[in-house]
Amino acid sequence: MDEETRALVQSLRRKEGGWVEWGRACRQLQQQRLAPQTVFEETGIEPTYQNQLAVAFGVWESLQAAPAEVLSYFVADGSESLYALRVLPQGDRLAAAALLARLQWDAAAAKELAKATKEASLLGQLPAGFTATPGDALAYQVWKNAQHTADPGQRARAIAKGLACATSEAARQRLAELLTAAVIPESRRPVPLPFYRLTAEDGWPCWLPVVGTLPLSVLPLPPRHRQTLRPLGAGNSRAPGWPCPAGRYCKNSARGWRCWPTPKPWKWLRVRPCPTAFPIARRKFCWC
């Protein structure tokens, strides 16, 4: 370890300066191929926090063209907020950082803003009134979610948040229309279902015949005495949806399904209530 590396490690150990200086030191140590575990043993800074500081410092350097008040907002404790903006391009970073500084939002809001901006960039075209700026991207997410929010208070708070971050007048107008619609009762819209693509025939819906065709007739219950049902291949079977007589238990054995009036108390005889045993003529139905 050379003198420059020792000086960087010593500054991190003493926590000299703020997170900007720590991020600069962590980035230089990464460039020198010093193992994060070694830095942790020397300074006490965990590897995950080292990476966050280094990445946030890279975002900080890309924001040097921003106004001074924007940079001063992230000096105190802005590493986590700037780390959330790492996924955005340079132009969106500047606009998102300026919006966070203007509204005094924390790291959780920064993550939400970065996610909304990234999702808006993946869309081919936004609805009328919304632009691709970070503020309008978050306003679009608020506008979309508020349409399916039933709680009036939660809906009003979400719309107020969207109005605060919207950058275009058209986006504010679209959000203001939701406030008017909240006063005037409307018919309840169905909740949109998630898109599901069937990739295999096993997932397709199908009909399984179990009790014949409509109209169904009442099937007589078996007698209340002990009865032995023949195996599946002998003409009788067990099919779902029909209860056994009250108090009867069924067990599968080598000679078929046997029913008892009451369960046996012995532990070695594992019996269970059978809700689905009734005799049917298998040859009368199509099981294909």
Side-chain angles (χ1 to χ4, degrees):
M1 188 180 296
D2 54 7
E3 294 296 332
E4 182 180 0
T5 305
R6 290 195 183 94
L8 293 174
V9 171
Q10 185 177 2
S11 65
L12 289 176
R13 185 186 301 117
R14 296 178 178 178
K15 302 298 186 295
E16 299 177 354
W19 75 265
V20 178
E21 288 75 18
W22 305 347
R24 182 184 293 107
C26 290
R27 188 174 184 180
Q28 292 178 2
L29 292 176
Q30 287 181 356
Q31 294 175 353
Q32 294 178 6
R33 297 293 190 272
L34 190 62
Q37 186 63 28
T38 304
V39 178
F40 170 67
E41 294 173 357
E42 294 289 339
T43 63
I45 301 178
E46 296 182 356
T48 54
Y49 191 49
Q50 297 175 28
N51 181 68
Q52 175 181 323
L53 291 173
V55 175
F57 177 74
V59 177
W60 167 268
E61 284 189 333
S62 65
L63 298 179
Q64 296 305 310
E69 59 271 13
V70 175
L71 296 177
S72 61
Y73 173 74
F74 297 101
V75 168
D77 187 17
S79 61
E80 189 174 358
S81 299
L82 294 182
Y83 180 80
L85 303 183
R86 70 191 185 280
V87 297
L88 302 180
Q90 178 64 23
D92 291 341
R93 283 183 186 178
L94 292 172
L99 182 62
L100 293 174
R102 178 172 62 87
L103 299 177
Q104 302 291 309
W105 280 355
D106 56 0
K111 295 178 182 178
E112 184 180 1
L113 179 63
K115 180 181 178 181
T117 307
K118 193 67 177 179
E119 291 179 355
S121 64
L122 299 178
L123 296 177
Q125 183 178 1
L126 292 175
F130 296 97
T131 61
T133 58
D136 277 11
L138 183 57
Y140 165 69
Q141 293 294 334
V142 171
W143 174 79
K144 183 176 66 173
N145 296 333
Q147 293 180 352
H148 307 289
T149 303
D151 187 6
Q154 184 179 359
R155 184 177 184 178
R157 288 189 295 269
I159 294 175
K161 180 179 180 180
L163 291 174
C165 67
T167 56
S168 63
E169 189 63 29
R172 295 190 184 94
Q173 184 65 28
R174 296 297 299 272
L175 292 170
E177 293 175 358
L178 291 181
L179 288 177
T180 307
V183 178
I184 302 175
E186 294 183 354
S187 59
R188 188 173 182 180
R189 298 181 179 180
V191 179
L193 298 177
F195 181 76
Y196 179 73
R197 184 183 300 276
L198 296 174
T199 57
E201 294 184 359
D202 297 340
W204 294 359
C206 59
W207 290 95
L208 296 178
V210 292
V211 291
T213 59
L214 294 176
L216 298 177
S217 59
V218 180
L219 298 178
L221 292 176
R224 299 185 61 84
H225 56 80
R226 179 174 174 178
Q227 179 183 2
T228 301
L229 300 181
R230 288 175 290 176
L232 286 176
N236 293 335
S237 64
R238 304 172 68 246
W242 291 80
C244 252
R248 295 185 181 273
Y249 284 73
C250 294
K251 178 179 178 297
N252 189 10
S253 62
R255 288 181 287 178
W257 288 88
R258 294 178 177 271
C259 297
W260 288 271
T262 56
K264 304 300 180 181
W266 307 302
K267 296 183 179 180
W268 58 268
L269 182 59
R270 297 183 178 180
V271 297
R272 62 183 179 86
C274 178
T276 59
F278 72 99
I280 60 174
R282 297 179 69 252
R283 299 177 180 177
K284 294 184 180 181
F285 303 103
C286 177
W287 299 92
C288 55

